[in-house]
Amino acid sequence: MAASDERESGWWVYCIVAADRELPGHLSGLSSADPPVLIEEGNVAAIASRVPLDEFGEAPLRANLNDLAWLERTVRAHEAVLDAMLPSGALVPMRVCTIYSDEAQVREMLDARGALFDHVLAGLAGKAEWGMKIVADRARLADHVRTRSEAARALEAEAAGKPAGGAYLARKKIAALTRDESDRLLDEVVREAHARVNRCSEGAVILPAQNRELAGYSGDMVFNGAYLVDDEQSDAVALVIDELRSEYGPLGMAFDLTGPWPAYNFSAPAPPREVRA
Amino acid sequence: MESALQGYGARAPVQSGQPANLADILERVLDKGIVIAGDIQINLLDIELLTIKLRLLVASVDKAREMGIDWWENDPQLTSRAEQLEEENRDLRERLDRLESAVLETGDGDGRE
């Protein structure tokens, strides 16, 4: 903490943990030259590291946040610190770019919000966030529906013996039928999948579909959900996903499970829903 | 046929050292987690983050909306709006079908009955 550095650096806060936690030795954070440290105040501590303001100050951030390579490097470094802390206890994740000008400001924040952090940490103990995404291959789903629908087969037969106009109408009907049936089936599967995972969880949040290029999938992301799951239930969630894959995979539905994540979606600002007595 | 998630860098359920999908991280770290204003200019950052979110995430939601799938915009119980849209779509398709058959009947005289 050389005094000469005070003006040129700020403190990036990664997350809040209980004050008695220890840092693993291999944390590098945003810059290996300034690894994260614990700043303790009362019952809680911030995990924070010094960041240079010529990169993380207001003006440079404006430019850097729009540079996807910089953004990726930064968010992965942020996430890596949280990932390293998650297995050994609860943490409250901070949104990226929570930066303070000096250590005293971090302490002030901890002091002012200590009770809230305590409360949130207690609610998250022994739990983690899991994500389920469902991607549908609509062509495959439509094939499945067409080959299994009695009505569609009847219409095909009808179309075969018809002159041009009638056959055209029959084909239109088959297409409409397939579309309706596919939508209905998709809706059913999504609700069923969500309900099954939700039964193993203590909270659920539905998220927007992800950008196709960024997430690297093909097809339609028809569902993206996050769940707060007790560690003892995480095997049950994995089992549910396996079941969903074998039941609905052949229809053209792919199920993606990710986790454990820090409880990003269940940390703020309201305390997580408590379902246990 | 290949899985729709082929090559999709999924984060393994058990920490396997495989890096998480960038989209998975961004949707969490950009606007989730506790938001507390650091004393270094948070308002402007909010605006910047919003710009990025729009570019990275919202485009796909618009696509989904076009398809009539907007469940996530409602509560997790996934109710009324999607059904309402579905109903509207069905009405429109039926009306279109009726119009088409009327055109065909008057057009080439090859009616169905």
Side-chain angles (χ1 to χ4, degrees), chain A residues 1-3 5-13 39 48-53 56-57 97-109, chain B residues 37-41:
Chain A
M1 275 177 227
D5 288 343
E6 289 292 330
R7 277 214 197 86
E8 293 139 338
S9 62
W11 286 93
W12 173 292
V13 179
I39 299 176
S49 68
R50 277 182 178 281
V51 288
L53 290 187
F56 293 92
C97 300
T98 305
I99 305 168
Y100 292 85
S101 52
D102 58 36
E103 199 183 314
Q105 302 277 354
V106 178
R107 288 185 186 284
E108 211 170 276
M109 176 271 288
Chain B
D39 58 338
I40 292 183
Q41 261 310 352

Side-chain angles (χ1 to χ4, degrees), chain A residues 21 25 64 104-105 122 137 150-151 175 190 242 276:
Chain A
R21 295 283 296 277
N64 288 336
Q105 302 277 354
D137 178 339
E150 298 270 333
V190 167
D242 282 346
R276 305 211 153 170

Side-chain angles (χ1 to χ4, degrees), chain A residues 31-244:
Chain A
S31 149
S32 48
D34 284 298
V37 296
L38 276 173
I39 299 176
E40 292 170 38
E41 191 67 42
N43 293 333
V44 295
I47 297 181
S49 68
R50 277 182 178 281
V51 288
L53 290 187
D54 58 3
E55 187 179 355
F56 293 92
E58 180 197 329
L61 267 184
R62 272 177 163 275
N64 288 336
L65 282 169
N66 283 303
D67 171 354
L68 193 59
W70 184 92
L71 183 66
E72 172 160 14
R73 205 165 52 241
T74 304
V75 300
R76 284 194 186 282
H78 180 86
E79 173 63 21
V81 170
L82 275 59
D83 277 348
M85 295 304 295
L86 192 62
S88 53
L91 61 87
V92 182
M94 303 292 270
R95 198 186 64 172
V96 291
C97 300
T98 305
I99 305 168
Y100 292 85
S101 52
D102 58 36
E103 199 183 314
Q105 302 277 354
V106 178
R107 288 185 186 284
E108 211 170 276
M109 176 271 288
L110 290 175
D111 187 46
R113 317 234 177 191
L116 169 72
F117 291 144
D118 253 352
H119 181 72
V120 176
L121 284 171
L124 294 177
K127 294 166 198 164
E129 179 176 320
W130 292 78
M132 173 178 70
K133 295 188 285 291
I134 307 176
V135 173
D137 178 339
R138 285 190 169 256
R140 234 173 109 190
L141 187 65
D143 279 348
H144 172 87
V145 165
R146 212 166 18 241
T147 53
R148 287 197 39 195
S149 161
E150 298 270 333
R153 278 206 300 270
L155 282 167
E156 302 254 18
E158 189 188 320
K162 286 270 178 173
Y168 170 77
L169 282 173
R171 277 201 306 277
K172 290 287 289 180
K173 275 189 187 165
I174 293 170
L177 192 84
T178 306
R179 207 164 40 222
D180 283 353
E181 273 304 307
S182 297
D183 285 351
R184 191 157 27 242
L185 189 58
L186 200 59
D187 189 75
E188 232 178 73
V189 174
V190 167
R191 284 166 197 264
E192 174 66 17
H194 172 66
R196 284 197 212 172
V197 177
N198 203 22
R199 273 199 288 277
C200 306
S201 74
E202 314 201 2
V205 174
I206 312 247
L207 305 168
Q210 293 176 345
N211 180 290
R212 197 174 273 122
E213 280 169 55
L214 193 67
Y217 63 92
S218 56
D220 295 325
M221 187 173 288
V222 293
F223 184 82
N224 181 17
Y227 302 86
L228 184 65
V229 178
D230 193 288
D231 293 343
E232 287 177 5
Q233 287 293 306
S234 53
D235 287 347
V237 170
L239 198 66
V240 164
I241 299 294
D242 282 346
E243 287 168 4
L244 290 168

